[in-house]
Structures are given as structure tokens and as C-alpha cells.
Amino acid sequence: MAVAVANIMRKPPPPSAFFTPAGLSDFSFLKLLAATAGDIVSADSGEMPRYQRRNARCLVRRIRTLLVLIEFLIETRRPLPSSAVLCFKELYIVVHRARILLEYCLQSSRLWLLLRNREISGYFQDLEREISTLLDVLPLSDFCLNADVREHVELLRRQVGNSRIYVNYEDEELWIQVLSFLEDFGKGRIPDVSDLKSTFTDRIGMMEARDFESEIEFLQNQIISHEGAVDTEADLATIDGVIAVVRYSRFSLFGAQEVKESNKRTTRRPLPLPVRDISALPKDFCCPISLELMRDPVVVPTGQTYDRHFITQWIAGGHQTCPNSGQNLGNAVLIPNRAIRSVISHWCAANGVASNSHASGGISASASTASKAALEANRATICILVHHLSTGENASKATAARELRMLAKIGKENRAMIGAEEKAISFLNLLLRSPNPTAQENAVTALLNLSINDANKTRIITQPGCLRSIIRVLRFGLTPESKENAAATLFSLSAIQEYKKRVVEEPGGVEALVWLLKKGRLRGKRDAVVALFNLSTHPESWERMVGSGAVAALVGAVAEEDGVAEEAAGALALLARQPVVAGMVGWEERAVAGLASVMRVGSERGRENATAALHEICRRGGAEVAERVARVPGVARVVQTVAVEGTKRARRKAAALARLLQRREWRPMPLPAPASASGWRGAGWGVETTGEMSPVAFPVAVL
């Protein structure tokens, strides 16, 4: 039996993953095989998959007949010839693969089975062929079978020998109908609600809103995990488009009614599918890396042909040589091998094998068509959701906010469409004051995701009362997640320079970030510290940072090394460009020791930030501060270490710091007393930016 190599994209495991147990007598092994087959046969009286039902029942009948043979051999206890033992060991693997395939069909969603209808039918046919091969070589004449058992086995041999792949064309037509809705959206037409109900509810059996949400969740998981054949652009775009159609249908048919988590039907992630038998595949049609049929063959500079997906992963993993020849790949330009792709397609057609070249074993729309249709379907859904935000009941508003949050998470086009929808941000702003914790959390997280779009940043900032409401959630949010996402929203908004000052000057905003940095969970601390980092980049923010206690909180974060020390070091590096702040931080021995610790054991980014902070402290704080820094144990040694082993930027700043510590060339600056630092004024102390090494910035997370 051929063995295909499982790849890192969660491909199905090879048959060798199911080894027959060692150390068992022939009799014990037959009993184990009978028990395994019996588990499958017993499933025939229980739940069967809605789709692939005929193939599933046929497979169970085959195994039931084989179980009759196995039980006869157990009863007679006749010794088995070695060839028979080998056949039964192969049968053990086939039975395991059959169980996985049946469980896969039971655990998969309805639409997923329709999408992969042809391919899954091919898996059932593969098992039929393997059973046929085993029966051909099984020495039945050595078993002294009675007439009844022999008749059953001979009938099974004829059936599997003559079997052909069975594809339910009604299921194919149903999938085509689903894709027709996608086509309608692509042409700017909204499908009729009665047609949606007829297809999804009456024919596919999605009777409730929770069924639609379960389908969406399952399909999204397939995109994330790239299960099976979902790794071509057309496949991904088609599934994304179908998700958009299902989401629109859910809200068109059922409105924004709430689906409680306890009532949502959970579809377990199915076990991986058994590997298709590739023993009959021409070697030249298989990718040398995956040993599987190539879907998108490409030629590398060495002249070798690989599947684009696998050679791209190989190169992305840092490999610079050809897997086959070992030659250097040079610029690694990948050229489509249209000739071999055409030959593969013809061979697949001639041999009844579903071609995987730009197909998922089913019917897909083109990538561009599906993407455009998904965009239009999402646009129509957004209109429905915004309507529910404005006129719906409280539960409907919470559901609409959740869906807008998810749409804003999964695509930049969705973020732009939601932001452009009249009053969408206004209604989300009103929901920030909701007494419903879930509604408030979804509203603030939706605003966070929308704020990634620069135009939406402006809409949020200019929306009357919206910034104040976000800060109110940061201070008094009903859940920790709401507070954390409010902090992340401030971080996102402050990415635009002119908005930094507005955030800093909004009453209570910086103080709330300080509280979250001190008292919040680790994720909250990170959200708070990166927001403070962003705000620190504004030249007029330092007084507010000092007066609100932000500097003291950042010093505490660096000193306590509670998971945000590296980010806090970056903010201090910016604030320490003011002599007052440099003196405050340099006066704190625990701050200097904390920065030195980050320089010693931190990441590359953290070491750069900590080195820059210490350099600014010594450069701006005056001679007395520099001397205090130099006297802190371990500082001199860690500066020398970074100057030798750090990144280029860190080495440059560490060398400058070392020179400052050695020469003691300081400008005479008065050292402020830490207790009265908030009373200092910054007249005449501009922030110098020429020649500075800015700390490393942080990205915005989408939630």
C-alpha cells in the first residue's frame, strides 16, 4: 500500500500511522480486528451522515460481510497461513481508514460535504478498491469455509470488483444552487429570500439561526487550518464567498435574534481524512516533497518541478537549495509548468480521478468572481446589521454588534464598508453605554477592529462623544475584555500623530491606562503599555505622562519584569528625551536595574528599547544621574555585552552609552526631586529628534 507523506498544513496522515499491534497471536489479532470492524457495523443502526449516505452504508455493508468471515475464522480456530495473516493486517489498516472516513462525514458540516462531494466519494471508492485487492490475494481455499460464508465472500468479491465511483448528482445540483447565489451577488443582484429559504432551510436542513452559525464557524475553521484541498486561491475565495452568502441568509431569514452559546450546535472538527491511494499515480505527477498529486506544478531555477504550495513552504522555511538536486535556487522564481498540469488533467479525466488542479473535488467559482460576490454579500449583510443596531431590541443590538465585530475582523474591505455605512459608528458608540456586558464588549471590540482603517480612525475621533465613551469603558467597563479592548482602541487611534494629543488631553484617559498597567491582567497590561508608548511619541505628552503617574507606572513595569518590561522600556526611551523625565527615571535604581535586566535577557526589540532608554537617561539627565546609573551593579557589563552581541542598532546605541559613561561629559542640568516632578514645566525643553534611534513600535491586534 502506497504511503503519502503528511505535510505541515494538517494533511491527512499516511496509512503507516495505523500500525498493526505487535506481539499478538494470530487468534488474538483476529479478535481485535473483529472488534474494530464491529464498531463500524454497529454504527449502521445509529446516525448516518446526511450526505454521502449511500456510500457510507455501502461501505458498512462491505465491512459487515468481512466481519462474518473473520468471526468464522475465530470460531474454527484453524491456523492461518502467513499470506493470510499479512492480508488481515492490511485489512486492519483499511478498517481504521474506513472508520476515520465515516467519522469525518458525521462530524463535518453540511456545506463542507457538498463542497467536497466528488473528492469524498473518491475516498470511498479507494477503500472499495483496496478491499477488492485484498480479497483477490486472500487464500480463501485454505480456510475451509462453509457454503454460507463462502457465498457471502464471493458475492462481496464480485461487488467490489465491479464497483464504480458513486457521486450523488442531486447533491452536485444543490451545491451549484448555492454557488448561483454567489453569482447573483457578484452581478449586483440580491437573491430572493424565498429561494434562500428553499435551498438552505428546506433542502439542506438548516432550520434555525444556530444551524447557520455552526456552518459559518465550521467553514471558517477550514480556511484557518487549510484542511484538505483548501489551499488554492479559488478554493479559499469560494468558501469565503459561501460564508458571506450563509451569513446574509441567516440575518435575512431569522433577523438578529440571539443564539445562546449553550444552544448553539457545535460541530466538532473532523478527524483527518484517510489518504488517497497513490500507488497508481505516475511518479512524475507527484510532488517530490509531498508525494501527492500536484495541483499547481511549477518549475524552479534548477529545472525540477514541484507543487507550488510545498516548494513555497520549503523556501519560506529558510531553505536555499533544491530539495531534489541540492543545487542553489538563486532567486527562486517559480514558473508555472502548464504542460505537466495539462497532462495531469487529462490523466485524471481518463482514469476517473478527481483532478485537484485548482479544484477541491467539487465545483468552485473563480477567485475573482467569488471575492467580488463575497464583498457584495457582506455589504448587504452590513446594511441589515446596521438597521438592527438602530431599531432592534437590546438582544438584537448585541447580536448585530457581534457580527459587525467579526466582519471588521476578517477583511479590510469589510472595515471600509462598515465605516462608510451611515451612522454605523454612531450606533456602536451608543452601545458602549449598554448595561449588557456582552453588548458593550462587542461594541468596543467592533470599534477597535474598525479603527485599523485610517478613515475610520477619523470617523471615530470626530464622532461626538465617542472618544469619551471609549475612555469610560476603559475606566468602568463591565468586563476585563471590554477594558482591554478599549485600551487597544486608544492605541490604534493614536497611530495618527494629530490624534495623540486629543487622546492625551481627554480627561481620565491616561489615568485609566495607568490603572490598567498596574492592576490589569497580563493582556490588559500589554494593551495599556503599548497605548502609553504610542502617546509618548507626541512631543507635548510628557507633562501629562508625569502628572498622571504614567512615568512611575512604566518604571514599575520595567522593574517588576511582569511581562511588559520591553514595551515599557520603549515608552521610557521616548519620555526620557525630556531632562525632567530622565532625571526621575535615573534616580530610581530599580528602574535602571530593570532596564539592565532587559538588556541582558530580553528579545532583540527589548534590548534595543532598553539600551535607548538608558542612553537617553544618561544623556539628558545630567552628571549626577549618569553617575548613579554607572554605580548600579551589572550595568557596565551588560552595556559591553550589548555593544558586542546586540543588533546593529543596539550596538550603536550601546557604544554611545559606553562612551558617555567613560567620559562623563554631561550638560549641567538640575536634578528634579521625584516627589515634586509633576510640578515641573517644560518651557524651553524641546524634544530633539535628529539622530535619535526611535524605539520599536508595536502592531495593532484584530479581535
Side-chain angles (χ1 to χ4, degrees):
M1 186 179 294
V3 176
V5 177
N7 62 66
I8 63 173
M9 294 302 293
R10 302 191 184 187
K11 286 286 184 185
S16 57
F18 308 110
F19 291 105
T20 54
L24 294 179
S25 66
D26 294 346
F27 180 73
S28 298
F29 175 73
L30 284 178
K31 291 185 69 175
L32 176 62
L33 177 57
T36 305
D39 291 339
I40 295 177
V41 170
S42 63
D44 189 33
S45 58
E47 182 184 7
M48 294 296 288
R50 182 182 182 92
Y51 301 105
Q52 297 292 338
R53 182 168 297 179
R54 173 171 164 175
N55 281 328
R57 284 180 172 169
C58 184
L59 178 61
V60 171
R61 286 198 300 270
R62 309 300 195 218
I63 294 176
R64 179 183 289 112
T65 302
L66 291 171
L67 182 59
V68 171
L69 170 63
I70 297 167
E71 289 176 342
F72 174 83
L73 296 176
I74 292 174
E75 291 176 4
T76 59
R77 300 183 69 94
R78 286 191 176 88
L80 297 177
S82 58
S83 59
V85 173
L86 181 60
C87 285
F88 283 120
K89 287 183 177 180
E90 289 292 318
L91 180 61
Y92 180 86
I93 295 174
V94 171
V95 169
H96 266 285
R97 293 173 61 194
R99 186 181 67 178
I100 287 178
L101 180 57
L102 292 170
E103 290 179 357
Y104 184 94
C105 292
L106 279 172
Q107 296 172 12
S108 293
S109 78
R110 302 170 176 88
L111 293 172
W112 182 249
L113 291 177
L114 289 176
L115 168 65
R116 303 190 69 184
N117 186 30
R118 286 180 175 271
E119 186 176 3
I120 295 174
S121 297
Y123 288 135
F124 280 102
Q125 178 62 18
D126 287 343
L127 291 174
E128 293 257 328
R129 288 175 177 173
E130 293 190 33
I131 293 173
S132 176
T133 301
L134 288 173
L135 289 177
D136 285 341
V137 298
L138 192 66
L140 295 176
S141 58
D142 296 340
F143 296 158
C144 299
L145 301 176
N146 61 37
D148 186 49
V149 174
R150 179 177 292 278
E151 182 179 353
H152 278 81
V153 175
E154 290 294 341
L155 177 61
L156 174 61
R157 175 184 284 175
R158 290 194 298 272
Q159 288 174 338
V160 295
N162 297 326
S163 68
R164 298 291 183 268
I165 185 171
Y166 172 75
V167 178
N168 189 323
Y169 289 100
E170 291 184 3
D171 294 346
E172 293 282 280
E173 292 175 2
L174 189 53
W175 179 245
I176 291 173
Q177 179 61 45
V178 173
L179 292 184
S180 73
F181 297 141
L182 200 58
E183 184 180 358
D184 286 343
F185 278 112
K187 294 180 178 179
R189 299 193 300 262
I190 303 296
D192 190 89
V193 174
S194 62
D195 292 335
L196 295 174
K197 181 179 183 301
S198 172
T199 298
F200 289 110
T201 302
D202 300 339
R203 298 182 65 188
I204 298 181
M206 298 160 61
M207 309 299 295
E208 301 175 355
R210 62 184 179 182
D211 295 328
F212 284 78
E213 295 196 0
S214 295
E215 291 286 330
I216 292 171
E217 181 182 359
F218 186 93
L219 293 176
Q220 286 176 334
N221 287 337
Q222 305 317 305
I223 292 178
I224 293 171
S225 63
H226 285 246
E227 165 66 28
V230 188
D231 43 22
T232 69
E233 183 181 0
D235 291 334
L236 292 170
T238 298
I239 295 176
D240 191 49
V242 170
I243 290 173
V245 171
V246 174
R247 182 182 286 112
Y248 173 80
S249 303
R250 178 255 191 265
F251 288 101
S252 294
L253 296 173
F254 299 98
Q257 62 177 252
E258 183 181 10
V259 177
K260 295 182 179 180
E261 284 298 318
S262 58
N263 292 333
K264 184 183 289 188
R265 293 180 181 175
T266 56
T267 307
R268 294 180 294 167
R269 172 167 172 77
L271 294 170
L273 278 177
V275 177
R276 298 292 302 273
D277 183 8
I278 64 168
S279 58
L281 290 180
K283 182 179 178 182
D284 292 340
F285 294 178
C286 299
C287 174
I289 298 176
S290 67
L291 302 183
E292 296 178 352
L293 187 68
M294 288 187 285
R295 303 178 188 185
D296 187 6
V298 293
V299 180
V300 298
T302 61
Q304 303 287 328
T305 296
Y306 299 93
D307 191 294
R308 182 186 297 275
H309 176 73
F310 296 102
I311 190 61
T312 300
Q313 283 190 338
W314 171 270
I315 296 170
H319 302 286
Q320 299 178 348
T321 58
C322 175
N324 253 3
S325 66
Q327 295 176 288
N328 195 297
L329 289 175
N331 57 8
V333 174
L334 305 180
I335 302 173
N337 192 333
R338 294 185 176 86
I340 191 68
R341 177 190 293 178
S342 176
V343 174
I344 290 174
S345 297
H346 282 89
W347 183 88
C348 289
N351 289 272
V353 177
S355 172
N356 287 328
S357 181
H358 295 284
S360 63
I363 303 170
S364 297
S366 71
S368 59
T369 301
S371 297
K372 179 183 177 182
L375 195 66
E376 295 304 318
N378 285 334
R379 191 192 307 276
T381 304
I382 289 167
C383 291
I384 296 175
L385 295 174
V386 173
H387 174 73
H388 283 291
L389 272 184
S390 63
T391 62
E393 301 292 334
N394 290 335
S396 296
K397 290 180 179 180
T399 300
R402 184 198 67 197
E403 288 302 316
L404 289 173
R405 163 188 177 174
M406 298 307 299
L407 282 168
K409 174 182 178 179
I410 61 178
K412 61 181 181 180
E413 297 86 359
N414 293 340
R415 290 190 279 273
M417 289 190 295
I418 295 171
E421 186 68 25
E422 185 179 4
K423 294 188 177 181
I425 290 176
S426 173
F427 293 138
L428 289 171
N429 176 33
L430 294 176
L431 206 56
L432 293 178
R433 294 180 176 270
S434 170
N436 182 333
T438 302
Q440 184 188 75
E441 181 183 331
N442 284 325
V444 72
T445 310
L447 288 172
L448 166 61
N449 293 342
L450 290 172
S451 70
I452 297 173
N453 179 287
D454 285 347
N456 287 340
K457 287 183 174 69
T458 300
R459 295 185 178 106
I460 293 171
I461 283 287
T462 57
Q463 175 65 40
C466 193
L467 179 58
R468 185 173 304 166
S469 297
I470 293 170
I471 290 176
R472 184 179 181 277
V473 173
L474 175 59
R475 298 176 67 188
F476 309 113
L478 301 177
T479 66
E481 290 78 9
S482 295
K483 296 180 179 181
E484 293 161 358
N485 293 345
T489 305
L490 294 183
F491 165 64
S492 177
L493 294 174
S494 61
I496 295 181
Q497 185 70 11
E498 62 185 282
Y499 298 156
K500 289 180 171 66
K501 187 175 182 181
R502 296 186 64 167
V503 174
V504 167
E505 293 178 349
E506 190 69 31
V510 177
E511 289 82 357
L513 290 171
V514 169
W515 182 91
L516 191 60
L517 177 56
K518 289 181 176 180
K519 305 294 185 180
R521 304 182 302 184
L522 179 58
R523 188 198 144 197
K525 290 175 181 285
R526 286 175 175 159
D527 290 328
V529 77
V530 296
L532 291 171
F533 173 94
N534 245 12
L535 298 176
S536 299
T537 61
H538 195 280
E540 299 178 18
S541 68
W542 71 271
E543 285 188 89
R544 184 89 167 83
M545 292 291 186
V546 172
S548 64
V551 173
L554 291 168
V555 167
V558 168
E560 295 172 11
E561 301 182 25
D562 57 358
V564 294
E566 294 186 2
E567 293 85 352
L572 288 176
L574 293 167
L575 293 169
R577 293 175 180 177
Q578 291 294 334
V580 172
V581 179
M584 290 178 60
V585 180
W587 197 258
E588 293 278 353
E589 183 174 334
R590 63 182 186 136
V592 176
L595 291 170
S597 176
V598 175
M599 291 174 65
R600 183 170 56 254
V601 298
S603 65
E604 290 184 351
R605 181 187 68 186
R607 297 176 83 182
E608 289 178 4
N609 285 346
T611 305
L614 272 184
H615 179 262
E616 293 298 337
I617 290 169
C618 294
R619 180 168 176 246
R620 311 278 187 174
E624 190 173 350
V625 169
E627 290 177 4
R628 288 181 63 86
V629 170
R631 286 198 297 269
V632 174
V635 168
R637 175 171 295 180
V638 76
V639 170
Q640 293 175 356
T641 301
V642 173
V644 174
E645 300 177 358
T647 64
K648 183 178 180 180
R649 301 176 72 205
R651 291 199 306 270
R652 185 173 69 248
K653 193 58 65 175
L657 175 58
R659 288 194 296 271
L660 288 173
L661 293 174
Q662 290 171 357
R663 292 201 306 261
R664 300 291 194 271
E665 295 178 359
W666 312 107
R667 292 180 292 172
M669 289 283 183
L671 182 67
S676 60
S678 60
W680 284 75
R681 294 292 179 265
W685 290 340
V687 177
E688 300 178 18
T689 57
T690 304
E692 301 292 348
M693 182 185 77
S694 299
V696 181
F698 310 98
V700 181
V702 186
L703 303 172

